[in-house]
Amino acid sequence: MLNQDLKMEKFTENDRQELMNMMIEFFSSEAVSTNGNPEIFKSTIDNCIYNPTYVEGYILKFKNENAGYIIIAKSFTTEFGKNCLWLEDLYLKNQFRGKGIIPYCLDLIKTKYPDYIFKLEVEAENEHAIHVYKKFGFKEFPYFVMHT
């Protein structure tokens, strides 16, 4: 049963090396179009731990094993006139996939932030993830995201 086996704990300094390893694996996978780099990962972890005003990080522990992590970033969307949570990173190690962990965690986050709209980016080729997100209620936008 997931609610007994899964814990979602805020990042701590003790998680740093494990998080770095998972981020390297995630950002070198086909699920992400950029490779990231250790300086970006370090900055992300630092902000999640020491300056969590706009970003929160959660390590996922399944039966006390590090299973993955989730990073959320807080913002406001004028498009919907409400607060927004960007689901920045959703990562699970291979051996923990297919157990319903990500939908369970999304439910926990939605319960914590009930009046927020959720947004995320997903690679078009990641059909399994798209299927999971659509089951959770995510819809595709008819535009693409740009950045500087």
Side-chain angles (χ1 to χ4, degrees), residues 51-141:
N51 189 21
T53 303
Y54 299 107
V55 63
E56 294 178 12
Y58 297 91
I59 194 156
L60 309 177
K61 296 187 183 246
F62 186 73
K63 296 183 179 179
N64 292 319
E65 281 188 68
N66 291 331
Y69 71 95
I70 293 179
I71 296 176
I72 59 175
K74 301 171 195 172
S75 68
F76 185 86
T77 172
T78 59
E79 191 172 17
F80 296 96
K82 60 190 335 186
N83 291 323
C84 175
L85 280 184
W86 274 94
L87 301 166
E88 290 288 336
D89 292 12
L90 298 139
Y91 171 78
L92 278 179
K93 294 178 180 178
N94 285 333
Q95 65 267 35
F96 297 100
R97 294 181 184 159
K99 298 182 183 307
I101 292 173
I102 292 295
Y104 183 79
C105 291
L106 292 175
D107 279 337
L108 291 176
I109 294 169
K110 197 165 204 162
T111 299
K112 183 175 180 177
Y113 295 100
D115 297 325
Y116 282 62
I117 188 164
F118 286 27
K119 288 186 177 183
L120 58 78
E121 297 173 12
V122 62
E123 294 296 320
E125 301 83 24
N126 196 344
E127 294 176 11
H128 176 73
I130 291 169
H131 175 75
V132 169
Y133 300 142
K134 283 183 175 180
K135 280 178 67 176
F136 194 76
F138 284 92
K139 299 171 189 73
E140 292 180 42
F141 280 104

